[in-house]
Amino acid sequence: MNIERSWTWRRLGDNGYLLDEFVERVDEEFLSFAFANPRFVCHGQIKCPCTKCNNRKFLSENDVHLHIVRNGFSRGYNIWYAHGESLNRRNDASGSSKVPSEEGSRYRTMVMDVVGPELIPNSICDEQPPNPKAQKKFRLIERC
């Protein structure tokens, strides 16, 4: 399946204002896709893919919308794997991408190809929160 997602990197226009197309597509494409995959929804929340949260925090639909509109998508998040999309999907027919890819995505894809879907938990809600020491480090990182 080839999906054109260059819109995810065009949040602001030349004048520096938020583009209406970006806001509409966040709702119509991303949020619709993310909430249509119940295995990746936990208590009505999904992982937020904005640059600040980077798929680490679960937030409500409205909060995810606001975060993405304010901060944009995390760099390289062109395959929505944390929201149910297969890692085997390619960006476009030519195989090239105008979006910078995450360094580890090549290795992640390789591991997922070997291990398969059994590596993904049956319910995303089963994830444990970080221990108190890790939470403290995450808070320090977020302040930067």
Side-chain angles (χ1 to χ4, degrees):
M1 174 182 3
N2 297 317
I3 300 172
E4 192 281 317
R5 294 229 173 101
S6 62
W7 65 269
T8 59
W9 316 111
R10 291 189 310 265
R11 187 170 63 91
L12 304 176
D14 294 335
N15 57 6
Y17 291 110
L18 190 63
L19 294 172
D20 290 336
E21 177 193 14
F22 179 82
V23 176
E24 291 168 9
R25 291 180 91 170
V26 165
D27 291 335
E28 294 169 5
E29 293 183 35
F30 175 72
L31 291 172
S32 294
F33 175 83
F35 280 94
N37 293 294
R39 283 187 49 208
F40 294 86
V41 178
C42 182
H43 305 294
Q45 298 180 330
I46 60 169
K47 289 184 176 183
C48 179
C50 82
T51 57
K52 301 234 185 224
C53 296
N54 200 26
N55 286 317
R56 289 188 313 258
K57 289 183 180 179
F58 279 91
L59 299 174
S60 70
E61 184 172 359
N62 288 337
D63 289 340
V64 171
H65 170 88
L66 288 173
H67 277 221
I68 295 171
V69 168
R70 283 185 192 150
N71 308 316
F73 282 92
S74 293
R75 184 180 171 130
Y77 192 56
N78 51 347
I79 298 176
W80 298 336
Y81 58 85
H83 301 90
E85 188 168 32
S86 170
L87 287 170
N88 294 324
R89 187 189 67 73
R90 298 294 178 240
N91 292 331
D92 59 28
S94 66
S96 66
S97 174
K98 297 176 185 168
V99 179
S101 63
E102 294 179 59
E103 178 63 30
S105 66
R106 180 176 69 199
Y107 299 107
R108 181 181 175 86
T109 301
M110 182 173 57
V111 169
M112 291 302 286
D113 286 344
V114 171
V115 177
E118 54 272 2
L119 182 65
I120 299 172
N122 288 336
S123 172
I124 201 104
C125 292
D126 293 340
E127 290 184 6
Q128 297 290 320
N131 65 41
K133 189 174 181 180
Q135 287 178 352
K136 184 177 178 181
K137 288 182 181 180
F138 285 138
R139 282 193 296 273
L140 289 172
I141 291 169
E142 287 175 359
R143 290 182 190 162
C144 296

